[in-house]
Amino acid sequence: MNLSFLSPLFLIGLGALALPIIAHLISRKSGVKKSFPAVKFLISSQGDLATRSKIKDIILLILRGLILVLIVLVFAKPAVFSFSTVQENTPKSLAIVIDNSLSMGYDDNFSRALRKAQDLIDSLPEGSFALISPLVPNNEQEPFLSQDKTQLKKVIKGIKLSYSFTENDKRIEDIYSKLQNAPNEKKTVALITDLQKNGWENEEFLRSWLEVIDVSEGQEASNHAVSRTQLKYENGSIIIEATVSNFSSDSVQELLTRTRLGDEEIREFFDIGPEDKSAKKFNFSMDKRETPSYGSVETSQDKLKSDDVRHFIINDQDHFKILIVDGDPREDSRLSETYFLARALETISELSDTNISIIDNDSFLDEDMSVYSLIFLANIGEITPRIAKELEEFANNGGTTVIFLGNRVRAGSYNTLLKNILPGELQNLQENRLSLLPEDSDIFSKDINEKVEQVNIEKLFNFAPYPDSNILISTTNNKPFLVKKDHGNGSVFIFTSTADASWNNFPITPVFLPVIKKIHDLTYFAKSKRRNYLIDETVNIEILQDTESTIVIDPSGQEFKLSFGAPEFDNTQLPGIYSVEEKGENTYKFAVNIDPKESNLEKISIPTIESNTAQKGGLVKVFKEIWRYFLWGVVALFVSEAAFRAIFSQ
Amino acid sequence: MSNSILDIETALRLKGFYFRTPSKVKGYKAGIHKSYYNGISPDFLDHKEYNKGDELKQIDWRLYGRHDRLYVKKFEDEVNMRWCILIDKSASMGYGDNKSTKLNYAKKLSATLAYLLLKQGDSVGLLGFSENDVEFIPPRSGSSFITTILDRLESFKPSGTTGIKEPILKALEAYSSEASFVIVSDFLIELEAIEESLKLIRHSRKEVSLFHVLHPDEIDFDFRGSVEFQDMETNVKVIVDTGSIRHTYQKRIGEFIERLKLICHENETRYVFSPINKSIENSLIQIADK
């Protein structure tokens, strides 16, 4: 509510306020002068009354001054006003866009925006059309033009606060385009917003048809939020690193933050400087958890509550296991076929917490391959049909097989038994001193490709790759050295030489570790299933059996059936934990969180807004005259003044 | 000119009254006042043995017949009285409208009293006073002396501050023998000074009568609104809201009058409250006898 005057020129009359003051000062100096013989009695009498008289004078002065001020104000016609759309008699078409982005959840901004929208509807002239639309679109029906104010107000009531944001410029343009079919000539879009910066690409509001109404009333909002959670696995523990951001200009002291995982809860206090963030680690023991679980990080609530919690899912990456089959084991492990390979993988596993098992050829015959994600076969001489079949299944289920050759390998046996998974056909042995050359592939980095030339090959199998395979590294005489082939959900890599240094110097060059790590990572990330999403992201639901019987349950408990043949789920409008169920059984969960960008309540620069406000011709002030109350005030003051004088003159 | 301050009508109405002193005086001329001196008088006082030089006509022959010794009769003597009228002519006495000032009232009262006193055979002196200005006319008797008194009264103009001690001392100096003092003033001075002066007079075994002359404005304080008052003698200024101060002022002036009355009573002095709206007759009658 703002105050204005309909006849402000009368305010000049406030100068009359000086009159009682001057009169008061004059009366203190002279008044009526008279010679009198008994002044000494007056002086002694006045002593008692001086204070009383002074108070009386001051009160009378104030009362008379107020009377004058109120009289002047009555003539100046004070009125309170609020901004509203043009109240012309000519009908118009108005689109009211209510900012329902997450930041509007701050304090009561959103409810104020709804009230403002109702006011705008009330102020529309007869014959006008309006449409109501949220700024962040939801799955409700499309906005429609209507003249029915009751219907429009019903639409306003139905608008819900979103947990997301949108591209504001584009959205407003879209809504304005919907007005084009409206019958009235004057078409305007009124955007009721908190002016939060996120979502605006172009901060210019200079559109002749756009009126911006700031519901935040210029107040500076302060907010903190859980902006990130990161999970690590170390020594049988899950370490959850929570980052809390402070988006205000004041520092935050001792902000209580609770991390919950299952039944366990760990509390920490954060001290965060202004416009800064702080991260702390919450360490949970893995012993108690047999299956992947979920949890949350939550801070003490502020005026924007929705970003004070962040959910996470414990991934099942701890199932990533590596099997190394050594076809030529030795007592002195340094002489073993897999010595360099095992050292490289041990180094890599320290980063990813993977489990490595090393077995010999005999043990391999009885090994269950399904528990592994990555299998290295180094100079394996004996391949049975059962092994070959299991390796094929392993590849079909997404496993990766890496084959190194050697003197125990029988090319014919490989070509026959592993025909379905091999990237090509093994041929004769070639003994020739060769160097390596990188192939044109985007798998290895430029750095690896440059160093590949340091590798010298003494002996290798000639290899004829199949058309569906990829040569990743070859020799200087154009013989394949590393070839890859995708099979089922997995893949097969084959090195045409040994894993040890007997046929080449590959394992002792700086290229070995990066190449092995790359193969490891490709498998690791292919196996790693995404479980954490942002609001409005589309989730590819992993279907184990069939789509028909798969449902997704959102945090509110609402169930969504997946469309046939399209295991995509895009109803991720609520933050929280979602469950995927197949045939009534929970298969896995995933977490949906809000985008921390919306937590920063920084506003669009004010000068831009002000310059636009000057141009927003469509908005007018709706006045409510209040001068009558001032008139009553004058009467009341006159009565008070008379009563006061009567009391004091007694 | 003189007639303007002499209220003849009042004087005529008071013709049957006498202004006496309550004690005996040593008069040297026959009058209405009891004298300490014995002489020819209808009132027998005592007998004494005849001595050489006593008048033979005063011998009580009847007593001689009974006692065979000569006694002479002693009679009370009635003598005249000397009066001193002290009139305050300070600036404060000038308060009032044109002719009805306090000083005019005091002049009329003094003139009428002097007229009546001279008529009853007393001698009358006049002393006009303010703080630094004392005008004195020595006492004389005889009706014709009224003219001198009236002329002098007429010349009195209000000026200066009120001071009572100096004029009293001067009067006492002039009236060494028995006398009666009449002081006509507004007495707007410290009560202590008045009390001291009265004690001086009483110590000299002289009678005193006070005529306390005030203007009704000084008693009722019937003013309206905010007024800046300036003292007529000290020029001190004060701004007062008359409405709010009236009650307190009336209380203060009332207290002053009561205390003055008390001082008069303690010093065997007759006090006559004489606001100028009170008739001269009513004021004078309070010190007169039938």
Side-chain angles (χ1 to χ4, degrees):
Chain A
M1 238 10 135
N2 302 287
L3 183 69
S4 185
F5 296 95
L6 300 181
S7 308
L9 272 180
F10 278 101
L11 290 175
I12 296 167
L14 281 177
L17 188 59
L19 293 179
I21 297 170
I22 292 167
H24 175 76
L25 294 174
I26 289 172
S27 74
R28 284 167 62 85
K29 284 185 177 173
S30 58
V32 179
K33 289 183 181 175
K34 192 161 182 66
S35 294
F36 194 67
V39 167
K40 67 170 187 172
F41 295 114
L42 290 177
I43 292 169
S44 67
S45 304
Q46 204 186 26
D48 303 343
L49 297 166
T51 314
R52 196 166 171 245
S53 176
K54 265 185 191 171
I55 293 169
K56 185 198 85 171
D57 286 350
I58 289 168
I59 293 175
L60 278 177
L61 176 68
I62 291 169
L63 283 174
R64 288 163 185 170
L66 277 175
I67 288 170
L68 270 174
V69 168
L70 288 188
I71 288 172
V72 170
L73 289 180
V74 167
F75 280 100
K77 289 197 171 179
V80 289
F81 69 88
S82 56
F83 280 103
S84 183
T85 49
V86 178
Q87 282 199 326
E88 295 164 349
N89 290 329
T90 52
K92 58 188 283 190
S93 296
L94 173 71
I96 300 172
V97 183
I98 299 167
D99 185 352
N100 62 331
S101 63
L102 180 122
S103 65
M104 285 288 284
Y106 186 84
D107 206 6
D108 62 344
N109 280 355
F110 187 62
S111 51
R112 264 190 279 168
L114 295 182
R115 284 200 299 274
K116 192 70 84 176
Q118 304 259 12
D119 292 345
L120 288 179
I121 292 296
D122 285 336
S123 66
L124 279 175
E126 280 302 311
S128 294
F129 282 86
L131 69 81
I132 311 294
S133 174
L135 184 63
V136 180
N138 51 24
N139 295 334
E140 305 292 322
Q141 65 183 93
E142 278 291 300
F144 56 91
L145 274 166
S146 172
Q147 282 185 300
D148 184 350
K149 291 187 178 180
T150 314
Q151 179 72 19
L152 289 166
K153 285 183 180 179
K154 205 174 160 188
V155 176
I156 291 170
K157 280 183 186 167
I159 291 179
K160 298 279 183 293
L161 194 61
S162 153
Y163 289 94
S164 183
F165 58 96
T166 190
E167 295 171 29
N168 298 345
D169 298 274
K170 187 171 176 297
R171 175 72 173 160
I172 290 168
E173 295 279 355
D174 285 349
I175 292 167
Y176 180 60
S177 68
K178 291 185 199 312
L179 276 185
Q180 297 314 306
N181 298 328
N184 300 315
E185 194 177 327
K186 185 166 177 58
K187 297 176 177 67
T188 44
V189 175
L191 171 64
I192 309 171
T193 178
D194 61 353
L195 297 172
Q196 193 233 4
K197 204 169 187 175
N198 190 37
W200 291 99
E201 248 179 55
N202 176 13
E203 289 184 20
E204 295 287 325
F205 289 109
L206 304 178
R207 299 172 174 97
S208 60
W209 45 265
L210 178 62
E211 300 152 8
V212 180
I213 300 168
D214 178 10
V215 283
S216 70
E217 293 174 349
Q219 63 182 342
E220 190 183 333
S222 59
N223 184 37
H224 63 254
V226 183
S227 52
R228 189 177 180 220
T229 52
Q230 204 176 10
L231 276 65
K232 280 185 183 173
Y233 305 89
E234 269 182 26
N235 303 324
S237 296
I238 298 175
I239 295 165
I240 295 150
E241 187 178 279
T243 306
V244 180
S245 299
N246 174 20
F247 295 104
S248 75
S249 54
D250 299 319
S251 60
V252 176
Q253 300 293 322
E254 295 192 350
L255 181 68
L256 175 64
T257 304
R258 290 177 289 201
T259 299
R260 292 194 191 90
L261 186 56
D263 300 332
E264 263 188 275
E265 179 180 294
I266 298 176
R267 296 178 176 205
E268 283 278 4
F269 289 95
F270 280 67
D271 292 336
I272 318 168
E275 311 290 350
D276 200 0
K277 58 186 175 184
S278 174
K280 285 197 177 179
K281 290 178 179 172
F282 297 81
N283 200 330
F284 291 90
S285 168
M286 286 276 284
D287 301 343
K288 298 173 186 171
R289 270 164 290 283
E290 293 175 354
T291 53
S293 187
Y294 59 92
S296 64
V297 180
E298 189 175 351
T299 65
S300 303
Q301 290 189 342
D302 53 16
K303 286 187 176 175
L304 183 57
K305 298 177 179 61
S306 48
D307 61 1
D308 295 332
V309 63
R310 203 157 190 86
H311 307 273
F312 59 83
I313 295 288
I314 302 296
N315 237 322
D316 52 2
Q317 287 174 359
D318 53 336
H319 288 180
F320 192 81
K321 287 185 175 179
I322 299 173
L323 177 66
I324 301 172
V325 186
D326 192 337
D328 189 15
R330 304 287 172 88
E331 281 186 19
D332 183 352
S333 64
R334 282 175 297 178
L335 301 173
S336 294
E337 190 77 29
T338 58
Y339 176 74
F340 297 107
L341 190 59
R343 300 292 81 74
L345 286 169
E346 278 169 11
T347 308
I348 294 162
S349 69
E350 284 176 13
L351 301 173
S352 58
D353 196 40
T354 50
N355 294 325
I356 302 169
S357 302
I358 304 173
I359 56 172
D360 59 17
N361 201 349
D362 291 342
S363 306
F364 181 53
L365 298 176
D366 302 322
E367 189 68 26
D368 177 11
M369 280 181 254
S370 64
V371 298
Y372 297 102
S373 303
L374 179 58
I375 296 174
F376 287 89
L377 304 176
N379 196 14
I380 299 297
E382 191 179 356
I383 299 285
T384 62
R386 189 186 66 79
I387 290 288
K389 194 181 174 190
E390 282 188 14
L391 280 173
E392 194 175 340
E393 271 181 29
F394 175 69
N396 280 337
N397 289 336
T400 300
T401 308
V402 183
I403 301 168
F404 283 92
L405 301 179
N407 57 357
R408 290 182 180 239
V409 171
R410 302 286 170 266
S413 169
Y414 270 59
N415 287 338
T416 309
L417 293 170
L418 301 176
K419 188 182 178 182
N420 290 340
I421 63 165
L422 277 181
E425 196 175 84
L426 288 174
Q427 294 176 341
N428 60 317
L429 270 171
Q430 182 182 340
E431 288 187 50
N432 200 353
R433 188 178 176 83
L434 298 165
S435 291
L436 294 182
L437 279 176
E439 287 293 327
D440 186 19
S441 88
D442 55 359
I443 288 184
F444 299 117
S445 68
K446 190 181 170 189
D447 188 44
I448 294 174
N449 284 338
E450 283 171 3
K451 288 176 181 169
V452 154
E453 292 170 10
Q454 298 174 16
V455 177
N456 292 318
I457 307 294
E458 300 289 337
K459 198 173 180 179
L460 81 167
F461 275 93
N462 281 325
F463 191 75
Y466 296 132
D468 57 347
S469 57
N470 265 337
I471 302 171
L472 304 179
I473 304 172
S474 56
T475 61
T476 44
N477 65 348
N478 215 19
K479 299 288 181 191
F481 176 72
L482 174 59
V483 185
K484 182 198 173 198
K485 181 192 169 188
D486 291 331
H487 184 91
N489 291 325
S491 52
V492 178
F493 292 83
I494 187 164
F495 287 89
T496 55
S497 191
T498 55
D500 64 3
S502 57
W503 289 8
N504 57 63
N505 69 348
F506 178 50
I508 58 172
T509 60
V511 185
F512 186 69
L513 183 61
V515 168
I516 298 300
K517 184 171 188 309
K518 187 68 194 178
I519 293 169
H520 166 272
D521 287 353
L522 286 172
T523 314
Y524 184 83
F525 291 115
K527 287 286 284 182
S528 169
K529 296 179 181 70
R530 191 174 169 197
R531 292 288 182 261
N532 293 293
Y533 296 86
L534 292 177
I535 293 278
D536 286 344
E537 270 195 288
T538 300
V539 180
N540 280 314
I541 302 295
E542 293 158 24
I543 309 295
L544 298 182
Q545 293 174 14
D546 64 292
T547 317
E548 294 275 318
S549 61
T550 304
I551 57 163
V552 179
I553 305 168
D554 78 1
S556 70
Q558 191 177 351
E559 294 183 0
F560 296 89
K561 262 194 131 182
L562 296 178
S563 309
F564 179 74
E568 288 184 341
F569 179 73
D570 53 10
N571 285 307
T572 51
Q573 280 96 33
L574 287 179
I577 302 294
Y578 289 68
S579 293
V580 180
E581 289 186 0
E582 255 182 71
K583 292 180 179 171
E585 281 187 19
N586 177 258
T587 53
Y588 71 96
K589 295 179 191 299
F590 62 91
V592 173
N593 287 298
I594 61 167
D595 190 330
K597 274 189 277 185
E598 193 66 5
S599 296
N600 187 350
L601 302 180
E602 187 188 351
K603 287 174 180 291
I604 301 168
S605 54
I606 298 300
T608 316
I609 300 304
E610 282 177 348
S611 64
N612 183 56
T613 307
Q615 296 192 25
K616 57 179 184 184
L619 278 186
V620 294
K621 296 169 181 176
V622 179
F623 289 96
K624 184 189 174 191
E625 293 188 20
I626 55 169
W627 61 270
R628 283 178 188 83
Y629 302 112
F630 287 74
L631 190 60
W632 282 113
V634 172
V635 174
L637 281 173
F638 265 122
V639 173
S640 306
E641 198 264 355
F644 189 76
R645 269 194 296 120
I647 291 165
F648 261 84
S649 59
Q650 276 176 4
Chain B
M1 186 180 186
S2 299
N3 289 338
S4 64
I5 60 167
L6 176 60
D7 191 348
I8 293 294
E9 288 179 6
T10 300
L12 290 174
R13 282 199 294 274
L14 291 171
K15 202 173 176 183
F17 290 85
Y18 295 97
F19 296 91
R20 298 171 190 269
T21 56
S23 55
K24 289 178 180 177
V25 296
K26 293 173 183 175
Y28 60 91
K29 292 178 81 173
I32 61 166
H33 309 282
K34 303 283 185 193
S35 172
Y36 282 116
Y37 303 107
N38 300 330
I40 301 163
S41 167
D43 299 330
F44 171 76
L45 181 69
D46 204 358
H47 288 96
K48 73 162 193 166
E49 244 180 301
Y50 175 78
N51 287 318
K52 193 179 176 180
D54 289 336
E55 285 192 33
L56 290 174
K57 65 178 180 181
Q58 289 183 349
I59 293 172
D60 188 343
W61 295 109
R62 286 183 187 175
L63 211 61
Y64 174 75
R66 283 203 296 267
H67 299 286
D68 200 21
R69 293 179 73 170
L70 289 172
Y71 291 93
V72 290
K73 290 176 183 174
K74 286 180 70 180
F75 296 91
E76 275 192 344
D77 193 10
E78 289 185 335
V79 297
N80 65 350
M81 180 68 189
R82 296 208 301 168
W83 295 82
C84 180
I85 300 173
L86 295 96
I87 179 166
D88 181 2
K89 61 186 185 76
S90 66
S92 64
M93 292 293 285
Y95 184 76
D97 303 326
N98 299 323
K99 295 288 178 185
S100 59
T101 62
K102 290 195 285 181
L103 183 60
N104 279 346
Y105 183 86
K107 284 176 182 177
K108 272 189 181 179
L109 188 142
S110 303
T112 309
L113 178 61
Y115 175 79
L116 291 168
L117 292 172
L118 289 171
K119 275 285 179 192
Q120 70 182 24
D122 292 344
S123 56
V124 179
L126 186 69
L127 191 144
F129 69 92
S130 59
E131 178 79 64
N132 301 312
D133 180 19
V134 178
E135 292 181 57
F136 180 58
I137 303 172
R140 282 180 63 184
S141 59
S143 296
S144 61
F145 188 55
I146 189 66
T147 312
T148 310
I149 289 173
L150 292 179
D151 286 345
R152 185 55 64 91
L153 278 173
E154 196 70 37
S155 69
F156 287 170
K157 302 289 178 201
S159 68
T161 56
T162 308
I164 196 167
K165 195 173 175 185
E166 285 301 318
I168 293 288
L169 287 171
K170 180 144 188 170
L172 287 174
E173 195 181 322
Y175 289 76
S176 54
S177 56
E178 297 290 336
S180 186
F181 284 16
V182 175
I183 307 172
V184 187
S185 170
D186 54 11
F187 295 104
L188 292 177
I189 49 173
E190 295 302 315
L191 283 165
E192 288 75 18
I194 300 169
E195 189 171 19
E196 196 181 338
S197 302
L198 291 180
K199 280 190 168 128
L200 274 173
I201 298 168
R202 291 298 301 164
H203 191 68
S204 306
R205 304 184 68 180
K206 292 179 173 60
E207 307 292 331
V208 195
S209 301
L210 298 189
F211 284 92
H212 192 187
V213 181
L214 288 172
H215 193 282
D217 286 352
E218 293 172 279
I219 301 160
D220 302 328
F221 199 67
D222 195 15
F223 296 103
R224 290 284 176 271
S226 181
V227 182
E228 182 182 12
F229 291 101
Q230 182 173 20
D231 193 274
M232 296 176 76
E233 293 184 8
T234 62
N235 292 326
V236 171
K237 291 177 183 174
V238 62
I239 300 166
V240 295
D241 178 22
T242 54
S244 59
I245 207 171
R246 183 175 299 115
H247 179 70
T248 315
Y249 172 85
Q250 287 172 342
K251 200 174 155 192
R252 290 270 185 281
I253 194 90
E255 285 169 0
F256 176 77
I257 293 167
E258 288 307 313
R259 285 184 62 195
L260 183 57
K261 278 182 187 173
L262 184 65
I263 287 168
C264 291
H265 178 73
E266 286 170 353
N267 291 282
E268 296 174 349
T269 300
R270 284 186 291 195
Y271 172 87
V272 182
F273 183 59
S274 305
I276 64 168
N277 55 355
K278 186 177 178 182
S279 68
I280 300 290
E281 182 182 351
N282 281 341
S283 290
L284 288 177
I285 207 163
Q286 291 189 42
I287 61 166
D289 292 332
K290 188 78 179 176

